[in-house]
């Protein structure tokens, strides 16, 4: 029987890349970090804040996200949005994800390529 730790490790690896895709999709509409964290969790992508905030900074450094500060509220918040380059990368990631799903389905169903 597979240990819970082994399963947890593999699930974490599987979700790591999908959180990038989910974030780029979700941030097609500007949002701030905590709201994104809640939205991802609500849609089945539970992610820790200590993982999400460095991810957002990395995606911004890569030019896949843009950001701006909203200082109109009592507490300033940094809003993120998927950039044009992010949309381009997202399109390729979604196409690859669909191809992976097709390949897995073929393997599961025993369909030859």
């Amino acid at each position: 029987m597979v240990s819970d730790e082994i399963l947890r490790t593999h699930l974490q690896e599987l979700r790591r890349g999908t959180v990038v895709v989910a974030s780029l999709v979700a941030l097609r509409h500007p949002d701030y970090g905590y709201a994104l964290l809640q939205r991802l969790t609500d849609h089945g992508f539970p992610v820790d804040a200590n993982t999400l905030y460095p991810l957002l900074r990395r995606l911004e450094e890569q030019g896949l996200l843009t950001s701006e500060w909203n200082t109109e509220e009592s507490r300033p918040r940094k809003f993120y949005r998927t950039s044009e380059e992010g949309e381009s990368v997202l399109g390729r990631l979604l196409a690859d994800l669909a191809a992976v799903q097709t390949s897995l389905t073929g393997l599961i169903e025993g369909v030859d390529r």
Side-chain angles (χ1 to χ4, degrees):
M1 186 165 137
V2 175
S3 74
D4 288 343
E5 182 60 31
I6 290 172
L7 180 58
R8 190 173 21 260
T9 298
H10 287 292
L11 287 172
Q12 182 180 20
E13 288 177 19
L14 180 63
R15 290 187 177 269
R16 187 172 289 133
T18 58
V19 169
V20 170
V21 173
S23 296
L24 290 172
V25 168
L27 290 172
R28 285 175 162 168
H29 304 286
D31 221 340
Y32 59 98
Y34 184 74
L36 175 62
L37 192 66
Q38 292 300 119
R39 189 157 31 140
L40 291 175
T41 298
D42 291 347
H43 284 87
F45 294 94
V47 60
D48 186 79
N50 292 328
T51 300
L52 183 64
Y53 289 106
L55 172 68
L56 292 174
R57 285 191 295 274
R58 181 170 52 91
L59 293 175
E60 185 179 18
E61 288 171 7
Q62 293 172 346
L64 305 182
L65 295 178
T66 59
S67 69
E68 63 181 61
W69 284 96
N70 178 346
T71 57
E72 296 173 7
E73 299 178 20
S74 61
R75 197 174 107 209
R77 293 182 179 171
K78 190 174 187 179
F79 280 75
Y80 296 90
R81 182 182 187 109
T82 304
S83 68
E84 284 186 34
E85 189 171 343
E87 281 290 339
S88 176
V89 168
L90 176 58
R92 298 200 51 199
L93 292 173
L94 288 172
D96 193 64
L97 189 58
V100 167
Q101 180 61 44
T102 298
S103 295
L104 281 173
T105 299
L107 282 170
I108 291 166
E109 295 174 354
V111 175
D112 290 331
R113 284 186 87 173

